[in-house]
């Protein structure tokens, strides 16, 4: 409760003893400077004219804009502060990636084994719990470590200090290893950042006027874990929404594991909006094969088969949804066309995660890299996803950009 009361005051909304009594409108919103900066970089044309005419509009919260771990372009991910920033940027849906501690308590972390890059654990007494202790860089070998939430209790987790997700592979000390923040990110907003449990994220997000998209993260430990099966784990996550009185229509539970999605569909009230995070493009099982976004024969199960299972939402990365036509213009991929034909709602990830786009955008833009040459392409890609593909939501590391576009286009 201390999280929501303190942050409600900081965000300019009423604090209350119960989250359901708070003002659902959330904190005052602002686009900040970045959307205008990106619009200024656009080439002359219809998109620039349309978006430029919206620069003076008043921001409104939109479910099209989804905070990816909050607003981690500048704030430590999965912290109170990162999510308050995302809500202030108009994100209508916020994300807690869910994993568990040694005492089977649910907490917000992008991975069960990321504490060595997202917290100060290596410089605390809890470093002794790491499954791979810090090993300094030596010769051609990079510095390494691996620290898991499953090795510590919730009380121990609460003692950690979050930081920007980064590691310095050339480090020879644990202190130096905690650095390595990408130059397009910042440590300016890290001081005093606070970790959250999953239950605390529910309380906070509701106080901020946002809805919920928790992702059940793949365990790094063998399941069952201390008697907890994968199904128990999936059930525990949605049970925390039921306990908080959150209606299923306000929740989009996610997983890369199709079995988790099918479990929610078949056994809970939260299945109608369960999101299949499709990562079959990098399948390790040779028998399963890799998805070619332009070859429907590789979509196994097919989009229609997914729909027949009860899946209504699918969420691939940006590049899976776009391709280039013979004229070099961005158009929907066969994957996108097949998903729409099967009646699937499409959500995609992750805008504003790649830093400057002058070099082609990297992994997230690989299918359209030949057209990516400056930061205004965040908006051209977003426009193609919204207008041509017809996505219903976009995860972003800086939600203001998506909020601005959605507001301008009345999405």
């Amino acid at each position: 409760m201390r999280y929501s009361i303190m942050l409600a005051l900081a965000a300019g909304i009423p604090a209350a003893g119960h989250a359901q009594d708070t003002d659902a409108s959330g904190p005052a919103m602002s686009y900040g400077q970045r959307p205008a900066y990106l619009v200024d970089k656009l080439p002359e044309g219809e998109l620039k004219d349309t978006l430029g005419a919206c620069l003076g509009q008043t921001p409104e919260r939109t479910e099209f804009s989804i905070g990816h771990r909050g607003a981690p372009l500048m704030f430590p991910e999965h912290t109170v502060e990162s999510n308050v920033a995302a809500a202030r940027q108009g994100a209508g849906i916020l994300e807690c990636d869910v994993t568990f501690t040694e005492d089977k308590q649910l907490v917000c972390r992008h991975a069960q084994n990321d504490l060595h890059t997202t917290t100060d654990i290596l410089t605390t007494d809890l470093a002794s719990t790491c499954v791979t202790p810090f090993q300094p860089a030596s010769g051609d070998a990079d510095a390494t470590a691996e620290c898991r939430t499953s090795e510590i209790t919730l009380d121990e987790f609460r003692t950690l200090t979050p930081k920007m997700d980064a590691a310095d592979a050339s480090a020879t000390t644990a202190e130096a290893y905690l650095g390595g923040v990408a130059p397009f990110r910042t440590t300016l907003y890290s001081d005093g950042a606070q970790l959250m449990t999953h239950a605390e994220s529910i309380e906070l997000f509701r106080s901020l006027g946002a809805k919920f998209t928790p992702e059940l993260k793949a365990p790094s430990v063998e399941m069952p874990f201390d008697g907890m099966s994968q199904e128990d784990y999936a059930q525990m996550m949605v049970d925390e929404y039921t306990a908080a009185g959150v209606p299923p229509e306000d929740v989009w539970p996610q997983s890369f594991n199709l079995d988790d999605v099918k479990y929610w569909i078949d056994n809970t009230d939260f299945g109608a909006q369960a999101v299949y995070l499709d990562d079959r493009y990098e399948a390790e099982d040779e028998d399963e094969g890799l998805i070619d976004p332009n070859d429907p024969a590789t979509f196994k199960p097919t989009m229609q088969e997914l729909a027949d299972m009860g899946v209504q939402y699918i969420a691939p990365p940006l590049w899976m949804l776009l391709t280039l036509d013979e004229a070099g213009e961005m158009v929907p991929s066969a994957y996108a066309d097949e998903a729409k034909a099967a009646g699937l709602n499409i959500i995609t990830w992750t805008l504003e995660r790649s830093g400057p786009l002058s070099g082609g955008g990297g992994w997230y833009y690989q299918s359209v890299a030949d057209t990516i040459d400056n930061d205004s392409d965040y908006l051209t890609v977003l426009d193609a996803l919204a207008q041509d593909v017809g996505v219903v939501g976009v995860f972003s590391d800086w939600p203001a950009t998506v909020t601005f576009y959605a507001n301008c286009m009345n999405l």
Side-chain angles (χ1 to χ4, degrees):
M1 185 64 68
R2 66 184 185 277
Y3 292 89
S4 64
I5 292 176
M6 182 191 70
L7 267 299
L9 293 171
I13 59 178
H18 300 283
Q20 58 263 38
D21 296 331
T22 60
D23 179 359
S25 64
M29 285 172 276
S30 170
Y31 295 135
Q33 293 297 313
R34 186 156 178 80
Y37 167 79
L38 297 178
V39 171
D40 288 345
K41 285 183 169 292
L42 280 168
E44 297 301 323
E46 182 179 356
L47 182 60
K48 183 169 187 172
D49 291 344
T50 299
L51 296 179
C54 294
L55 288 173
Q57 69 184 4
T58 301
E60 295 183 6
R61 190 170 317 286
T62 169
E63 292 173 13
F64 190 84
S65 179
I66 306 171
H68 179 243
R69 318 183 202 179
L73 183 66
M74 294 191 181
F75 290 81
E77 63 185 50
H78 289 310
T79 60
V80 171
E81 292 74 12
S82 185
N83 284 286
V84 170
R88 285 175 171 159
Q89 293 173 33
I93 302 174
L94 298 174
E95 178 186 45
C96 169
D97 289 333
V98 177
T99 189
F100 55 85
T101 60
E102 182 183 38
D103 48 351
K104 293 182 284 189
Q105 300 300 301
L106 303 183
V107 296
C108 299
R109 286 292 88 199
H110 181 63
Q112 191 168 64
N113 62 340
D114 73 359
L115 293 179
H116 51 291
T117 65
T118 62
T119 76
D120 66 343
I121 191 171
L122 289 176
T123 57
T124 74
D125 291 341
L126 292 175
S128 62
T129 70
C130 296
V131 296
T132 302
F134 171 72
Q135 299 178 17
S138 178
D140 294 333
D142 290 343
T144 60
E146 183 184 351
C147 308
R148 300 175 178 175
T149 59
S150 54
E151 303 300 313
I152 61 176
T153 66
L154 176 59
D155 285 344
E156 290 170 330
F157 174 79
R158 290 191 186 281
T159 68
L160 299 175
T161 299
K163 69 178 191 69
M164 295 297 283
D165 183 14
D168 184 349
S170 67
T172 57
T173 66
E175 290 78 8
Y177 184 79
L178 300 182
V181 177
F184 61 86
R185 297 183 184 271
T186 181
T187 59
L188 189 61
Y189 303 109
S190 297
D191 186 43
Q194 302 168 84
L195 299 171
M196 295 184 297
T197 66
H198 177 236
E200 287 165 348
S201 80
I202 295 173
E203 180 183 17
L204 176 68
F205 297 175
R206 182 160 50 183
S207 76
L208 294 170
K211 296 183 180 180
F212 315 87
T213 186
E215 180 189 338
L216 195 73
K217 302 303 296 190
S220 298
V221 294
E222 185 176 349
M223 300 294 279
F225 176 79
D226 190 25
M228 179 178 67
S229 68
Q230 183 68 26
E231 292 79 9
D232 294 335
Y233 177 35
Q235 185 67 50
M236 285 171 60
M237 189 182 83
V238 296
D239 280 348
E240 294 202 337
Y241 291 93
T242 301
V246 176
E249 58 266 28
D250 287 351
V251 184
W252 287 261
Q254 316 166 65
S255 181
F256 282 105
N257 183 347
L258 184 56
D259 288 339
D260 293 336
V261 176
K262 291 163 64 178
Y263 176 84
W264 291 321
I265 291 169
D266 294 338
N267 299 282
T268 78
D269 294 332
F270 293 83
Q273 295 183 164
V275 181
Y276 176 34
L277 294 163
D278 192 354
D279 66 348
R280 293 175 291 167
Y281 53 84
E282 58 178 16
E284 295 179 359
D285 183 351
E286 292 183 2
D287 293 332
E288 181 180 349
L290 304 179
I291 280 187
D292 177 347
N294 293 310
D295 182 3
T298 67
F299 306 167
K300 299 176 182 179
T302 67
M303 299 300 176
Q304 188 58 56
E305 287 170 340
L306 288 172
D308 292 343
M309 294 175 194
V311 176
Q312 296 188 45
Y313 286 84
I314 193 166
L318 304 175
W319 66 269
M320 287 286 290
L321 297 171
L322 295 171
T323 190
L324 299 178
D325 64 14
E326 293 182 356
E329 299 294 325
M330 282 185 284
V331 295
S333 65
Y335 178 102
D337 289 339
E338 291 284 320
K340 293 293 286 185
L344 298 175
N345 297 292
I346 305 173
I347 299 170
T348 192
W349 43 277
T350 302
L351 205 72
E352 302 270 32
R353 189 152 185 84
S354 300
L357 298 184
S358 57
W363 188 85
Y364 285 96
Y365 301 88
Q366 57 190 282
S367 64
V368 293
D370 288 348
T371 68
I372 305 296
D373 59 16
N374 75 84
D375 284 359
S376 72
D377 286 315
Y378 279 121
L379 294 174
T380 58
V381 167
L382 182 57
D383 188 57
L385 291 167
Q387 305 302 327
D388 301 327
V389 175
V391 300
V392 299
V394 177
F395 282 91
S396 178
D397 276 15
W398 199 246
T401 301
V402 179
T403 301
F404 165 74
Y405 177 89
N407 288 172
C408 187
M409 298 297 185
N410 295 312
L411 299 179

